[in-house]
Amino acid sequence: MESVEYKCPNCSADLKFNPATQKLDCEYCLSSFTVDEIKNICANTENSIPEEAVQMKEEFENHTQLYRCKSCGAEIMADDQQTATFCYYCHNPVILAGKMGGEFKPDKIIGFKLTKENAISSFQKWIGKRWFVPKDFKSQQQLEKLTGLYVPFWVADCNVNVDYRAVGKQLRSWTSGNYRYVETKEYRIIRNCSLLTKGIPADGETKIDDLLMEAIEPYDYKELKDFSMSYLSGFYADKYDVDKAQVFPRIRVRSDQACKNFVKSTITGYSSVSPSVEQYNIMNTNWSYMMLPVWFMTYKYNDKMYEFAINGQTGKLAGTPPLSKGRLAAVCGAVGAAVAAAIILFGGALF
């Protein structure tokens, strides 16, 4: 007899039947479904791969090189015309490791709109307002390390079942004679619906800080294009090392928050609202694997690595600059000396 296996519609891992709950559970992303829900979802899923997609994967394999850094372990991919000479994480040389596998071919891409000159100018304006950074942090040699990088992102559209129940109270008070009256009315609030949260991104690279990538959002998905090797010309791209199952908890948190905000926006006119049930169950997730443009730079100072990123589409910049204690002490000393001199000068004038 042939066995039947069901895959999680959110992360594609195997589902296991839980006798205690009579549901199918995913041990990777912690999703849970009834048997009927899974049957309905699977019935609407098309598993065949178009011939064009197979051809594009083969082209990707043939024209993409993989480089590996022996120092930090980073894996960098570039087109077959690009020669990767250094690792943009630790700045050590990298070696050619071979061809890329077709499973790493992105679905979509947003090309760079910001040139390197634009990115350097933006970074100089940003860092110019920060006095206490190390001197060489602003040097031309450091600025040349700014690298055009396509960062791998998993972008999810989540179909969410909402079950929200609460008690809303309306208070009305008035005074009559010597008495003050308070009237309290209670209402049942029910929101039972399906919502779609679209375009939630999560980067698929462990070496780049997740919060840094979130800080340079959003990207304008209207400019998404079908992936083509031509976009990689002159730039580097990261090979993802975090799969859908691993990023799904981050996606779930952001999807839940979006649903909560939407539900709350529909509830108005109450003095107070007390939820009794608040469930947001993701029933199905449609994934896109995208390459999004980032101007990226690292700086090592006192054995600590600092990362900076500029959105290659919008120019939004994020990062935490290093603090030079020597420059800070020098400025504080100069200010202290000036204050002391002023006290002596004006203090002497009082006598």
Side-chain angles (χ1 to χ4, degrees):
M1 182 180 292
E2 185 178 346
S3 63
V4 177
E5 292 183 351
Y6 290 114
K7 299 290 185 180
C8 175
N10 291 322
C11 73
S12 299
D14 290 333
L15 292 173
K16 294 182 179 179
F17 184 74
N18 186 337
T21 62
Q22 294 292 295
K23 289 186 175 183
L24 293 161
D25 296 340
C26 176
E27 62 183 13
Y28 290 93
C29 70
L30 305 181
S31 299
S32 184
F33 310 90
T34 66
V35 173
D36 287 339
E37 286 172 341
I38 286 297
K39 285 182 177 179
N40 290 333
I41 292 170
C42 290
N44 297 323
T45 301
E46 178 60 59
N47 295 317
S48 61
I49 301 175
E51 185 177 346
E52 312 87 75
V54 175
Q55 292 175 350
M56 291 181 69
K57 283 190 176 183
E58 290 177 353
E59 181 184 355
F60 181 79
E61 289 178 346
N62 294 331
H63 296 286
T64 312
Q65 302 280 16
L66 178 66
Y67 297 84
R68 184 172 290 114
C69 177
K70 283 189 173 181
S71 177
C72 71
E75 292 184 312
I76 304 162
M77 67 180 185
D79 69 348
D80 53 6
Q81 303 301 315
Q82 176 86 342
T83 302
T85 56
F86 73 95
C87 173
Y88 35 78
Y89 293 113
C90 65
H91 307 296
N92 285 312
V94 294
I95 60 171
L96 182 63
K99 296 290 185 180
M100 286 291 299
E103 69 271 17
F104 291 100
K105 177 196 159 296
D107 303 312
K108 299 287 184 178
I109 191 168
I110 293 177
F112 276 88
K113 294 184 70 174
L114 209 67
T115 66
K116 186 167 186 176
E117 291 73 22
N118 296 148
I120 288 176
S121 176
S122 177
F123 183 80
Q124 287 175 323
K125 290 178 182 177
W126 180 75
I127 205 63
K129 301 175 183 178
R130 289 150 176 84
W131 294 356
F132 306 120
V133 297
K135 187 176 181 180
D136 67 334
F137 183 60
K138 302 181 181 182
S139 68
Q140 189 64 33
Q141 182 181 7
Q142 176 63 27
L143 291 175
E144 285 302 318
K145 294 177 181 177
L146 193 65
T147 303
L149 171 66
Y150 283 106
V151 176
F153 275 82
W154 294 107
V155 179
D157 296 344
C158 301
N159 293 287
V160 186
N161 279 354
V162 176
D163 184 8
Y164 179 93
R165 281 166 272 176
V167 174
K169 292 184 178 181
Q170 288 182 343
L171 301 180
R172 187 171 70 94
S173 61
W174 67 94
T175 302
S176 178
N178 295 326
Y179 297 94
R180 181 171 181 80
Y181 299 90
V182 177
E183 178 187 71
T184 302
K185 291 183 178 180
E186 293 189 351
Y187 299 87
R188 291 174 61 197
I189 302 171
I190 298 175
R191 298 291 184 270
N192 200 312
C193 60
S194 295
L195 296 178
L196 175 63
T197 55
K198 295 194 67 175
I200 302 176
D203 68 279
E205 169 56 74
T206 55
K207 290 190 174 297
I208 299 181
D209 184 71
D210 297 335
L211 293 179
L212 181 67
M213 290 297 96
E214 290 182 13
I216 63 172
E217 292 178 13
Y219 284 89
D220 184 359
Y221 294 146
K222 292 178 183 177
E223 297 185 356
L224 278 170
K225 305 293 184 183
D226 290 335
F227 178 79
S228 169
M229 289 298 302
S230 60
Y231 287 100
L232 293 187
S233 181
F235 298 97
Y236 295 118
D238 264 351
K239 168 180 170 286
Y240 75 79
D241 58 3
V242 182
D243 61 22
K244 290 181 285 189
Q246 290 172 284
V247 303
F248 187 73
R250 289 159 53 195
I251 296 289
R252 186 200 297 276
V253 169
R254 300 185 73 174
S255 176
D256 284 357
Q257 190 58 54
C259 291
K260 287 179 183 179
N261 293 341
F262 176 78
V263 169
K264 287 181 180 179
S265 72
T266 68
I267 302 171
T268 59
Y270 299 99
S271 304
S272 65
V273 176
S274 303
S276 57
V277 176
E278 196 171 2
Q279 294 182 349
Y280 306 94
N281 295 321
I282 298 178
M283 304 308 299
N284 184 38
T285 303
N286 295 317
W287 294 92
S288 291
Y289 173 41
M290 300 180 184
M291 287 291 182
L292 302 182
V294 177
W295 285 103
F296 184 76
M297 184 172 70
T298 59
Y299 178 77
K300 191 173 184 179
Y301 183 69
N302 288 343
D303 295 324
K304 182 179 179 181
M305 194 67 77
Y306 293 84
E307 295 180 347
F308 304 87
I310 304 175
N311 185 312
Q313 181 192 39
T314 67
K316 189 176 180 181
L317 189 151
T320 304
L323 176 66
S324 172
K325 294 182 180 179
R327 299 194 76 179
L328 179 60
V331 171
C332 290
V335 171
V339 172
I343 291 174
I344 293 172
L345 177 63
F346 290 105
L350 294 176
F351 294 99

